[in-house]
Amino acid sequence: DQQVKQNSPSLSVQEGRISILNCDYTNSMFDYFLWYKKYPAEGPTFLISISSIKDKNEDGRFTVFLNKSAKHLSLHIVPSQPGDSAVYFCAASSLIQGAQKLVFGQGTRLTINP
Amino acid sequence: DAGITQSPRHKVTETGTPVTLRCHQTENHRYMYWYRQDPGHGLRLIHYSYGVKDTDKGEVSDGYSVSRSKTEDFLLTLESATSSQTSVYFCATRGGLGAKNIQYFGAGTRLSVL
């Protein structure tokens, strides 16, 4: 039973346009959501996060939107740049006995075309 | 960047042999995690630690054990490696109380079990 799903395995976007990556979750107890970016042969790097009490968080070209009623979050990248080509993972966080546990989606491979 | 070093970075081993992967961190983070990444599954939690000698199971812990004798080191052992444990393994860390809800990842260990 996958609690966090990224239904698009891949996405191709023209440089300069907006990239929108989507993520759905099933557990309403998640209190935090994060996006990680991963290049080949490297570990995931933190990109942006949002608390479950917010509906939007912005950091430069990156904005994350959270729709709690739909259990859906999205990452917007605008304008998209070639260096944004990577695999993006969304992750949902819960605290269990003080320890944070992350549940990851399957990832979406974003390709930015020049 | 939490100063996380994983060793070895690559390993090829035979079915039935024990394997130990090491994660070393320099940030004095309280929490440490081991994940595996497989196509179509994202990252899945194997085990985690919430302090020296304090560990607990994640969602895919069968066939794995861990130990944490020092704050900076978290070892993952495959007691008798199987081909299904061929994967990329990532270590992550997070600070203690009051730390941001962000896990920082190492560069990964690619393990092949033949």
Side-chain angles (χ1 to χ4, degrees):
Chain A
D1 179 25
Q2 193 124 21
Q3 296 186 69
V4 178
K5 289 186 181 179
Q6 294 175 256
N7 291 316
S8 298
S10 63
L11 177 66
S12 185
V13 174
Q14 204 73 21
E15 181 179 359
R17 307 294 291 269
I18 184 171
S19 296
I20 300 176
L21 295 91
N22 295 302
C23 181
D24 297 297
Y25 63 96
T26 57
N27 188 344
S28 57
M29 298 304 291
F30 290 133
D31 61 351
Y32 229 83
F33 301 90
L34 304 90
W35 285 93
Y36 282 86
K37 176 180 181 179
K38 186 183 179 306
Y39 292 120
E42 295 184 11
T45 55
F46 170 74
L47 192 58
I48 192 170
S49 63
I50 187 167
S51 165
S52 61
I53 62 173
K54 301 278 181 72
D55 55 17
K56 178 182 175 181
N57 187 28
E58 192 171 354
D59 183 2
R61 296 186 298 115
F62 304 93
T63 303
V64 57
F65 295 93
L66 176 62
N67 183 333
K68 285 187 68 176
S69 60
K71 294 190 175 66
H72 177 84
L73 64 154
S74 61
L75 174 67
H76 293 213
I77 306 172
V78 56
S80 300
Q81 299 174 354
D84 296 330
S85 295
V87 177
Y88 290 78
F89 292 98
C90 70
S93 169
S94 57
L95 278 179
I96 299 176
Q97 296 179 330
Q100 179 202 45
K101 286 190 175 179
L102 292 181
V103 180
F104 284 83
Q106 307 95 310
T108 296
R109 182 178 303 277
L110 175 64
T111 302
I112 305 301
N113 301 307
Chain B
D1 186 356
I4 302 169
T5 304
Q6 291 187 233
S7 59
R9 291 294 315 278
H10 302 273
K11 186 168 182 67
V12 180
T13 191
E14 294 186 349
T15 299
T17 59
V19 176
T20 296
L21 309 183
R22 181 179 183 240
C23 179
H24 179 79
Q25 56 121 341
T26 59
E27 296 295 317
N28 201 34
H29 281 178
R30 176 181 177 183
Y31 298 97
M32 298 186 75
Y33 306 81
W34 277 107
Y35 293 87
R36 60 179 288 174
Q37 184 198 359
D38 303 290
H41 289 279
L43 283 83
R44 292 179 292 173
L45 182 64
I46 305 172
H47 281 280
Y48 66 99
S49 168
Y50 46 97
V52 173
K53 298 193 188 309
D54 292 323
T55 65
D56 206 347
K57 297 179 180 180
E59 71 175 296
V60 290
S61 59
D62 286 349
Y64 301 95
S65 62
V66 290
S67 66
R68 192 166 177 203
S69 58
K70 297 185 290 185
T71 298
E72 57 266 33
D73 289 326
F74 193 31
L75 304 181
L76 176 71
T77 297
L78 288 64
E79 293 134 12
S80 177
T82 68
S83 58
S84 65
Q85 293 176 312
T86 292
S87 186
V88 182
Y89 292 86
F90 290 101
C91 173
T93 73
R94 176 178 171 260
L97 191 65
K100 293 181 181 179
N101 286 311
I102 300 169
Q103 291 183 19
Y104 300 93
F105 285 81
T109 295
R110 182 172 294 276
L111 176 68
S112 297
V113 183
L114 305 178

